[in-house]
């Protein structure tokens, strides 16, 4: 088949690799000057730091999917973060997470005495839920809704506790509100509200202990040139950058090709790899569906004249009222007054990111998507975040800053992210699993989709898994078509 992929994000690149290995002729059409989508570096004066994702979760899945696409383990290096990260609460309490169970039990006993048995139950039951979730949901698509609503699948779904929020589920293990928070904030990794995201997303904090939090040496975005180099080596793959698709051409319920500024191009199948709600702009005859966006972020990038060796690579700082922060982000859609935030200081374990003796630092503050906040005029608010960083963990930070860059939800929306949300559509109950857009999202022959807003969801390894599901679906459809003829 002759297949066009609209967008060269991770889903599009991995999809192209899988499809090319099946013998298809694949063309990636990317509007930007580079591939990778939201995986990119901020680079300046010999410094570089990941612009988007930082934490590598599910390392075995990550490595297996890359291997299936033709990228071997010896082409990149994953580094286990040990400790995983630190959470600093507003009352001064500090909770550190570690790989595995036993060291974490010791930490729970030290910081939250009396909660140890709850943590052990969380890990035991999390292991059972993870096995169910991976095989029943991550590794399957649900193009036909009837394939999902079987007695076995409904039983599996109920085992993941979707009727409970992550917060409600964690309250069954921990009585201390701070420890509950420590195992719910991970819903923010995919732009979800920890107070309302379905309990199935508790698999994320379980996986951190079970599989570890890893760092990709050289930065997460260094995977992009690796994938691009592999694609360029394949005779049946074409990459075209700085090309804008104006329309996906459909006739009689079948995708026929694309309309570009240069004219019409015919294809046997079309894959959309933008943020999924934007597909409606390329299908003017299709009524757009209403989606709830994920949370957005204000991102601060720093080049520093030093490395803070005494801090952990990943840290979370909790404000005075975490529930109020989440309400501002997900309900009120207002700027949070006293927000929690996350810092990433990879220079502690990777000297390749900055000139000798210097370092990089990244700060992420969850904020609302689709709000009316004029982020360009919030310098005082940003200065307040920097003051807190300096006070709580990075002494002398202001003097250490050689340069700083800021990215806001307005920048994300201009790039093409739905309402400026950073993680695709939100992981609500009715935007998860069978209810999320699928790799074959419409009853249109030859039209497919992949990316963070498409099942199985956000997070780099999960988007990669989505690309595998995409290739499998195209193969199934091609086989069905051959049998029918």
């Amino acid at each position: 088949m002759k297949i066009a992929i609209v967008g060269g994000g991770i889903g599009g690149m991995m999809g192209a690799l899988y499809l090319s290995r099946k013998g298809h002729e694949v063309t990636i059409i990317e509007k930007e000057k580079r591939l990778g989508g939201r995986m990119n570096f901020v680079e300046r004066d010999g410094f570089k730091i990941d612009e988007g994702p930082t934490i590598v979760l599910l390392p075995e899945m990550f490595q297996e999917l890359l291997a299936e696409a033709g990228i071997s383990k010896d082409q990149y290096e994953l580094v286990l973060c040990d400790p995983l990260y630190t959470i600093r609460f507003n009352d001064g309490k500090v909770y550190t997470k570690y790989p595995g169970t036993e060291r974490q039990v010791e930490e729970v006993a030290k910081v939250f005495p009396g909660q140890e048995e709850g943590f052990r139950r969380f890990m035991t039951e999390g292991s059972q839920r993870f096995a169910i979730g991976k095989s029943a949901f991550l590794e399957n698509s649900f193009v036909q809704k009837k394939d999902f609503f079987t007695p076995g699948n409904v039983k599996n779904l109920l085992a993941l506790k979707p009727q409970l929020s992550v917060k409600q589920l964690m309250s069954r293990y921990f009585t201390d509100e701070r420890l509950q928070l420590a195992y719910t904030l991970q819903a923010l990794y995919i732009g979800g509200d920890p107070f309302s995201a379905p309990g199935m997303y508790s698999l994320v904090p379980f996986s951190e202990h079970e599989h570890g939090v890893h760092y990709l040496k050289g930065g997460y975005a260094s995977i992009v040139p690796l994938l691009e180099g592999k694609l360029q080596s394949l005779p049946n793959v074409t990459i075209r950058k700085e090309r804008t698709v104006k329309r996906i051409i459909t006739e009689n319920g079948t995708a026929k090709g694309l309309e570009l500024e240069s004219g019409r191009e015919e294809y046997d199948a079309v894959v959309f790899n933008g943020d999924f709600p934007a597909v409606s702009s390329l299908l003017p005859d299709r009524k757009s569906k209403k989606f709830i966006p994920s949370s957005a972020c204000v991102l601060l990038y720093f080049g520093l004249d030093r490395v803070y060796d005494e801090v952990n690579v990943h840290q979370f700082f909790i404000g005075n009222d975490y529930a109020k922060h989440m309400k501002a982000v997900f309900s009120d859609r207002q700027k949070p007054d006293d927000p929690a935030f996350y810092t990433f200081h990879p220079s502690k374990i990777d000297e390749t990111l900055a000139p000798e003796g210097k370092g990089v630092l990244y700060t992420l503050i969850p904020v609302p998507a689709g709000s009316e906040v004029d982020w360009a005029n919030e310098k005082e608010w940003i200065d307040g975040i920097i003051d807190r960083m300096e006070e709580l963990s990075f002494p002398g930070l202001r003097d250490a800053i050689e340069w700083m860059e800021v990215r806001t939800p307005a920048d994300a929306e201009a790039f093409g992210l739905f309402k400026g949300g950073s993680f695709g559509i939100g992981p609500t109950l009715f935007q998860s699993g069978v209810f999320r857009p699928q790799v074959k999202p419409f009853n249109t022959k030859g039209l497919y989709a992949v990316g963070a807003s498409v099942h199985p969801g956000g997070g780099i390894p999960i988007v990669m898994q989505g690309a595998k599901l995409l290739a499998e679906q195209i193969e199934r459809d091609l086989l069905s078509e051959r049998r029918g003829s």
Side-chain angles (χ1 to χ4, degrees):
M1 292 177 68
K2 185 179 178 183
I3 302 171
I5 299 180
V6 181
I10 292 300
M13 298 173 79
M14 290 293 289
L17 288 171
Y18 291 136
L19 290 167
S20 69
R21 289 167 76 86
K22 299 290 186 181
H24 301 295
E25 182 183 333
V26 184
T27 299
I28 296 175
I29 301 173
E30 169 57 52
K31 64 181 176 65
E32 302 291 330
K33 295 180 180 179
R34 59 171 184 83
L35 299 182
R38 64 194 75 181
M39 289 194 77
N40 190 23
F41 287 117
V42 174
E43 298 185 75
R44 184 166 163 180
D45 303 333
F47 297 81
K48 72 172 184 178
I49 187 166
D50 281 302
E51 182 178 327
T54 59
I55 291 175
V56 183
L57 299 176
L58 299 173
E60 291 181 4
M61 175 185 283
F62 179 78
Q63 292 175 320
E64 288 169 3
L65 291 168
L66 285 175
E68 290 177 32
I71 308 293
S72 61
K73 291 182 183 180
D74 60 4
Q75 294 179 266
Y76 57 91
E77 181 182 354
L78 281 182
V79 180
L80 174 65
C81 294
D82 189 1
L84 303 176
Y85 54 81
T86 296
I87 302 173
R88 297 179 179 272
F89 295 95
N90 65 315
D91 60 1
K93 193 176 285 290
V94 177
Y95 181 60
T96 302
K97 290 196 176 185
Y98 298 95
T101 298
E102 293 312 311
R103 272 201 297 167
Q104 200 61 49
V105 170
E106 294 174 7
E107 176 73 358
V108 171
K110 183 177 75 172
V111 183
F112 298 106
Q115 305 286 297
E116 300 93 318
E117 184 56 35
F119 177 74
R120 289 191 185 278
R121 275 198 305 114
F122 165 72
M123 290 300 293
T124 299
E125 294 176 14
S127 179
Q128 297 164 358
R129 286 195 293 266
F130 186 87
I132 292 170
K134 185 173 186 289
S135 62
F137 300 105
L138 286 185
E139 296 175 351
N140 290 283
S141 56
F142 304 104
V143 170
Q144 301 296 328
K145 299 294 186 281
K146 61 181 176 61
D147 294 339
F148 178 83
F149 291 107
T150 63
N153 258 356
V154 171
K155 181 180 178 181
N156 287 332
L157 178 64
L158 292 176
L160 301 182
K161 308 297 183 185
Q163 75 278 16
L164 300 176
S165 69
V166 178
K167 176 68 164 59
Q168 289 170 329
L169 184 57
M170 289 307 101
S171 70
R172 295 188 171 191
Y173 299 110
F174 310 117
T175 58
D176 192 295
E177 287 275 347
R178 292 163 298 185
L179 201 52
Q180 292 173 22
L181 188 160
Y183 288 90
T184 59
L185 63 81
Q186 296 78 13
L188 288 164
Y189 292 1
I190 47 177
D193 181 357
F195 290 87
S196 63
M200 65 187 75
Y201 292 108
S202 67
L203 297 180
V204 179
F206 161 78
S207 180
E208 289 180 330
H209 290 299
E210 184 71 9
H211 307 112
V213 171
H214 290 72
Y215 168 74
L216 187 69
K217 196 70 178 288
Y220 214 158
S222 62
I223 202 73
V224 173
L226 192 60
L227 296 177
E228 184 171 2
K230 181 65 177 179
L231 288 164
Q232 289 172 335
S233 73
L234 300 173
N236 56 341
V237 174
T238 302
I239 300 172
R240 294 159 62 191
K241 302 175 187 176
E242 297 184 86
R243 303 291 179 89
T244 301
V245 174
K246 298 174 67 176
R247 184 167 66 96
I248 297 172
I249 300 168
T250 61
E251 297 173 0
N252 301 318
T254 301
K256 293 292 188 179
L258 301 172
E259 180 187 337
L260 283 73
E261 292 177 351
S262 55
R264 176 171 173 146
E265 298 182 1
E266 304 287 336
Y267 293 96
D268 300 311
V270 173
V271 178
F272 180 75
N273 180 222
D275 208 355
F276 183 76
V279 75
S280 60
S281 65
L282 302 183
L283 294 166
D285 296 333
R286 175 172 287 276
K287 185 178 180 181
S288 59
K289 181 181 176 181
K290 290 186 177 181
F291 291 100
I292 298 170
S294 63
S295 63
C297 303
V298 170
L299 294 155
L300 313 179
Y301 308 98
F302 304 94
L304 307 178
D305 69 4
R306 68 194 70 170
V307 175
Y308 286 89
D309 288 317
E310 64 277 13
V311 306
N312 284 331
V313 174
H314 306 285
Q315 295 188 91
F316 294 87
F317 300 82
I318 308 305
N320 288 318
D321 193 333
Y322 186 73
K324 183 180 178 182
H325 179 187
M326 295 300 102
K327 184 173 182 291
V329 171
F330 294 100
S331 300
D332 299 341
R333 302 207 177 278
Q334 297 176 352
K335 178 189 69 180
D337 295 327
D338 180 31
F341 58 90
Y342 156 77
T343 64
F344 173 53
H345 188 44
S347 293
K348 180 177 177 178
I349 56 174
D350 189 348
E351 71 287 349
T352 69
L353 305 175
E356 186 175 356
K358 300 186 178 185
V360 290
L361 177 63
Y362 161 126
T363 302
L364 182 154
I365 309 107
V367 299
S371 72
E372 300 300 318
V373 178
D374 182 6
W375 296 108
N377 290 312
E378 291 295 341
K379 182 179 183 303
E380 184 177 342
W381 183 81
I382 291 171
D383 283 344
I385 302 293
I386 297 172
D387 288 342
R388 287 176 60 198
M389 291 169 62
E390 186 169 52
E391 175 188 352
L392 296 171
S393 190
F394 298 93
L397 176 60
R398 285 197 175 275
D399 291 337
I401 296 172
E402 293 194 3
W403 57 266
M404 179 180 79
E405 293 190 17
V406 180
R407 298 284 191 278
T408 73
D411 299 314
E413 189 164 15
F415 182 71
L417 303 187
F418 177 53
K419 294 191 176 181
S422 300
F423 310 93
I425 61 174
T428 64
L429 178 59
F430 291 105
Q431 290 184 169
S432 300
V434 68
F435 304 111
R436 203 169 182 88
Q438 301 294 309
V439 292
K440 193 173 182 182
F442 308 123
N443 189 26
T444 301
K445 181 181 175 183
L447 180 58
Y448 303 89
V450 69
S453 289
V454 176
H455 176 77
I460 299 303
I462 305 301
V463 172
M464 290 178 166
Q465 174 66 20
K468 181 179 178 181
L469 295 178
L470 163 76
E472 291 172 350
Q473 184 66 44
I474 289 176
E475 287 296 293
R476 276 196 298 272
D477 289 351
L478 185 58
L479 181 60
S480 175
E481 187 176 321
R482 286 171 176 164
R483 285 174 174 169
S485 61

